[in-house]
């Protein structure tokens, strides 16, 4: 990610928190943040699985990324 894209994500985080305030479920903030980042023109995926690689094996151990921003766009 570029420095500008990181700034967009940070600004989106502040917008969501300042609008919604504290105390909601994580899923509510996640949905709002995805919307804000997409509104700013970046590509976002929610709940992306992340396998673990160990030596020559790959294991799906249930890791999930809340949001993945701009994968493969550069």
């Amino acid at each position: 990610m570029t420095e500008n894209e990181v700034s967009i994500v940070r600004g989106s985080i502040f917008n969501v928190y300042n609008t919604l305030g504290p105390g909601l479920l994580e899923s509510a903030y996640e949905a709002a943040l995805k919307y804000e980042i997409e509104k700013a023109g970046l590509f976002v995926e929610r709940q992306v699985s992340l396998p673990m690689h160990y030596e020559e094996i790959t294991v799906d151990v249930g890791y999930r990324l809340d949001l993945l921003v701009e994968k493969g766009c550069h």
Side-chain angles (χ1 to χ4, degrees), residues 15-22 24 28-29 32:
N15 287 344
V16 168
Y17 185 77
N18 288 336
T19 301
L20 296 178
L24 300 179
Y29 295 109

Side-chain angles (χ1 to χ4, degrees), residues 6-61:
V6 172
S7 294
I8 289 170
V9 172
R10 288 188 70 207
S12 297
I13 292 167
F14 289 119
N15 287 344
V16 168
Y17 185 77
N18 288 336
T19 301
L20 296 178
L24 300 179
L25 294 175
E26 180 182 349
S27 58
Y29 295 109
E30 183 181 308
L33 183 55
K34 181 180 187 292
Y35 169 78
E36 279 289 329
I37 295 170
E38 288 178 333
K39 189 170 76 171
L42 299 179
F43 178 74
V44 184
E45 294 177 86
R46 269 180 85 182
Q47 295 297 316
V48 177
S49 64
L50 180 67
M52 179 191 73
H53 301 285
Y54 179 77
E55 293 184 0
E56 70 276 352
I57 65 168
T58 299
V59 182
D60 182 10
V61 291

